[in-house]
Amino acid sequence: MFRSLISAKDLTQEDVEKAIEIALKMEELLKDNAEIDLLSDKILATLFFEPSTRTRLSFEAAMHRLGGKVISVSDKGSTSSTKGETIYDSIRVVQNYADIIAMRHSDPEAPYAADSATMKPIINAGNGHDEHPSQALTDIFTMLKEKGRTDNLHVALVGDLKYGRTVHSLAYILSLFPKNHITFISPKALEMPKEYLEDLDKRSASYSATEDWDSALPHADVIYMTRVQQERFESKKEYEKYKDHYILSKEIIAEKCQNDVTIMHPLPRVNEIQTDIDDMPNAAYFRQTENSIPMRMAILALLLDKTAHL
Ligand code: NCD
C-alpha cells in the first residue's frame, strides 16, 4: 500500500481496489451510525494554500467521523509562507503537530517537497494544474456505485483538460482497469497535456481525443464535466474564449446520450451543467460529493495503517 498519496500515477489496480473495499466498509459503518474510534489517537493537519470548500471540509469531516482530531490552515495569508517560509520548512514543523497532512498548493512541486520533509503521510489535495488523487479515487468509487463496475467503461472527460487536475488523476486510475476507454473532449488549446498522454501510452491505455462532442457523447457510459479553470489563465479575455465551449443541457442529453448515461463533475460548477439536469436520475455529481466521505475515511485509515480490524 502507498505511504503517501501524491500522484495517482503511483497507484496500482490493487491499491485502488483496496481503497474501494475500505470505502464500502466505511459506508456501512456510517449507515449504522456506529461510533467509530479508529483514529481517536490521531491528528490530521489540513494545509490549504489554495481555495477549497469540498476537499478540506470532507477530509476534516472524514477525520471527525473516524474519531480523530483536526488542525487546519485554510487561509494562505495566515501562514508563515507569507514571510517566505518554504514548504519543506513548514512541513518539518507541522509534522511535529500532526500524524498525517492533507495539503493543497498552487505549485505542482509542493507535495513532493512536503513528502521529502517528513516520514508522515502526505495527501496531495491538489497541486496546481497537476493532480488531485483523492478526488479521482472518489470518482472511480462513484463509477462503481453508479455503474456497478470500474472496468469496461467508456468515459468522456470534457472541458478544461489542460489545467483541470482531477482529470489527470482520473485518467491514470481509469487506465488501471481492463477495457476502459477514455474520450478526451476539449478545445484544442485546453487539450490533455502530452506528459499525461505519454504516461497513458506507456500503460497501453485506450483513449481518443476530439473537440467535437456531438460525435463522442453517444458512446459515453459516463460524462465527466469540468470547470474551465479561470484562475490558471493569463487573462480574463483568454478565459472568456473558452468558458462557454461545452454546456450540457437536458436537450443534449436527450438527443445525444445513452438513456442511462451517468453525469459527473468534481464541482464547483460554473455554467457547464445546466441546473435543470440536477433532478435527473443521471445526475451523479451531488452523490459524488457524498461518496467523498467514505473514500476519504478509507484514505486516512489506509495511510495510517489502521484497516486491519475493520
Ligand atoms: C476541483 C479542484 O479543486 O481541482 N475541485 C474539487 O476538489 N472537487 C475542481 C475544480 O476546482 O474545478
Side-chain angles (χ1 to χ4, degrees), residues 54-55 104 132 135 165-166 227 229 266-268:
R54 269 150 293 274
T55 305
R104 171 171 289 185
H132 194 351
Q135 178 66 46
R165 54 194 169 201
T166 67
R227 171 179 75 88
Q229 307 277 302
L267 303 180

Side-chain angles (χ1 to χ4, degrees), residues 48 50-56 104 125-126 128 131-132 134-135 139 163-166 224 226-229 231-232 265-269 272 288-289 296:
F48 279 67
E50 262 196 341
S52 166
T53 310
R54 269 150 293 274
T55 305
R56 186 173 63 82
R104 171 171 289 185
E131 281 210 60
H132 194 351
S134 68
Q135 178 66 46
D139 298 340
Y163 298 120
R165 54 194 169 201
T166 67
Y224 187 101
T226 63
R227 171 179 75 88
V228 177
Q229 307 277 302
E231 65 276 31
R232 315 254 179 247
H265 192 306
L267 303 180
R269 148 177 68 185
E272 55 281 348
Q288 199 177 340
T289 63
R296 290 192 163 118

Side-chain angles (χ1 to χ4, degrees), residues 177-203:
F177 293 90
K179 294 199 188 148
N180 283 340
H181 179 82
I182 307 173
T183 307
F184 298 114
I185 304 175
S186 72
K188 196 93 190 103
L190 299 181
E191 66 191 6
M192 192 74 174
K194 220 170 68 196
E195 60 194 278
Y196 304 104
L197 294 180
E198 281 169 3
D199 287 334
L200 294 177
D201 288 339
K202 280 188 209 138
R203 297 166 170 224

Side-chain angles (χ1 to χ4, degrees), residues 1-2 5 7-24 131 133-144 149-151 169-178 180 203 294-295 298-299 302:
M1 193 62 206
F2 41 95
L5 181 59
S7 166
K9 193 165 98 171
D10 301 332
L11 299 177
T12 63
Q13 182 179 343
E14 207 182 11
D15 290 334
V16 177
E17 282 170 347
K18 183 78 192 167
I20 290 175
E21 180 197 321
I22 303 293
L24 287 167
E131 281 210 60
S134 68
Q135 178 66 46
L137 285 169
T138 297
D139 298 340
I140 194 80
F141 181 46
T142 300
M143 288 182 202
L144 175 73
R149 60 188 196 276
T150 54
D151 59 1
S169 295
L170 183 54
Y172 284 136
I173 288 184
L174 285 169
S175 73
L176 296 171
F177 293 90
N180 283 340
R203 297 166 170 224
M295 178 49 82
I299 292 167
L302 280 163

Side-chain angles (χ1 to χ4, degrees), residues 220-288:
D221 300 309
V222 176
I223 300 173
Y224 187 101
M225 298 295 294
T226 63
R227 171 179 75 88
V228 177
Q229 307 277 302
Q230 177 173 8
E231 65 276 31
R232 315 254 179 247
F233 282 78
E234 276 173 16
S235 67
K236 192 155 175 108
K237 204 166 146 226
E238 192 61 18
Y239 161 71
E240 275 167 0
K241 262 204 250 172
Y242 301 109
K243 74 176 183 26
D244 299 327
H245 210 93
Y246 301 106
I247 297 179
L248 197 60
S249 65
K250 266 191 167 166
E251 293 67 42
I252 293 178
I253 295 177
E255 276 168 34
K256 306 270 178 222
C257 298
Q258 297 176 22
N259 283 336
D260 64 347
V261 69
T262 296
I263 316 289
M264 292 176 60
H265 192 306
L267 303 180
R269 148 177 68 185
V270 181
N271 62 345
E272 55 281 348
I273 300 180
Q274 290 186 348
T275 50
D276 60 354
I277 294 175
D278 297 0
D279 295 331
M280 294 177 74
N282 313 67
Y285 30 95
F286 291 114
R287 293 193 287 278
Q288 199 177 340

